[in-house]
Amino acid sequence: MIRIDFNRLRFLVIDDNAHMRRIVRTLLHGFGAREVYEAEDGAAGLEAFTHYMPDIVITDWSMPIFDGLELTSMIRQPGANANPYVAIIMLTGHSEKKRVLESRDAGVTEFLAKPISAKALYQRILNVVVNPRPFIRTKTFFGPDRRRNHSSSYVGPERRKGEKADVIKVQPLLDKTKSSV
């Protein structure tokens, strides 16, 4: 079993609801995290992202100024900030398939529907730490590989063929979080 030292991770929680920020912060502290920063909207979130350099961003979808999707797009702009590869967990009360796909296509790493549970949040964090997906860069997309499963038996159309795609391995957070137990 892999042990993760949450104390070694830096989190940024962005949500316009102070109560939800408090819930997420409390859960993260319960996991052992000590560096948990907060922002109340997309603009403050982008500023905090630049200032605190978090390892994992947990953002709400619906916020004033700009929403979680717009924030994700700004973070994922290569060259626009120091870490376009940061793990982003989208937190929302809207879990329709359309929204999940929109989030994925914007470059979100994981999706978490409200109401959240400690187990669900822990699983999303564990997934971005233990199973980081490579990043893909094409003319129209930059973000975590949208393909979660690679099947050698897949026979459908290969939509990435014909378009140059760079596959970029990201530095795994697991190395940073390994506990010395």
Side-chain angles (χ1 to χ4, degrees), residues 2-171:
I2 297 171
R3 298 194 79 122
I4 294 176
D5 187 352
F6 277 78
N7 189 39
R8 298 178 188 206
L9 291 174
R10 188 176 301 136
F11 292 88
L12 174 59
V13 179
I14 310 164
D15 197 310
D16 58 329
N17 183 314
H19 180 66
M20 183 53 67
R21 288 195 312 270
R22 186 172 51 249
I23 289 169
V24 174
R25 181 184 63 235
T26 301
L27 290 173
L28 292 172
H29 283 295
F31 300 154
R34 292 297 161 249
E35 286 190 76
V36 181
Y37 303 99
E38 298 179 27
E40 66 280 349
D41 59 49
L46 188 59
E47 187 176 316
F49 173 77
T50 304
H51 185 262
Y52 295 114
M53 299 288 293
D55 299 303
I56 298 174
V57 173
I58 301 170
T59 183
D60 186 26
W61 178 306
S62 180
M63 297 180 292
I65 304 181
F66 46 84
D67 63 28
L69 282 184
E70 293 167 316
L71 174 68
T72 299
S73 295
M74 290 178 209
I75 289 172
R76 292 288 185 240
Q77 291 298 316
N81 64 69
N83 188 10
Y85 303 101
V86 68
I88 300 174
I89 300 173
M90 179 64 72
L91 182 63
T92 180
H94 305 282
S95 60
E96 302 87 10
K97 183 177 181 178
K98 175 182 172 273
R99 292 216 184 208
V100 174
L101 295 176
E102 261 186 277
S103 294
R104 178 202 67 186
D105 291 346
V108 166
T109 315
E110 290 288 335
F111 192 90
L112 182 58
K114 295 176 187 177
I116 67 169
S117 68
K119 181 179 179 182
L121 179 61
Y122 186 84
Q123 286 174 333
R124 297 316 184 286
I125 294 168
L126 189 64
N127 203 36
V128 300
V129 170
V130 176
N131 300 314
R133 290 183 282 159
F135 270 60
I136 303 297
R137 182 191 325 265
T138 69
K139 278 193 273 183
T140 58
F141 177 78
F142 176 77
D145 191 347
R146 296 178 278 195
R147 299 174 183 175
R148 288 191 176 267
N149 304 313
H150 298 277
S151 172
S152 57
S153 63
Y154 175 73
V155 293
E158 183 62 63
R159 293 181 299 165
R160 200 178 284 156
K161 281 186 180 169
E163 183 177 354
K164 184 174 176 354
D166 296 325
V167 178
I168 304 157
K169 291 279 187 192
V170 294
Q171 179 66 32

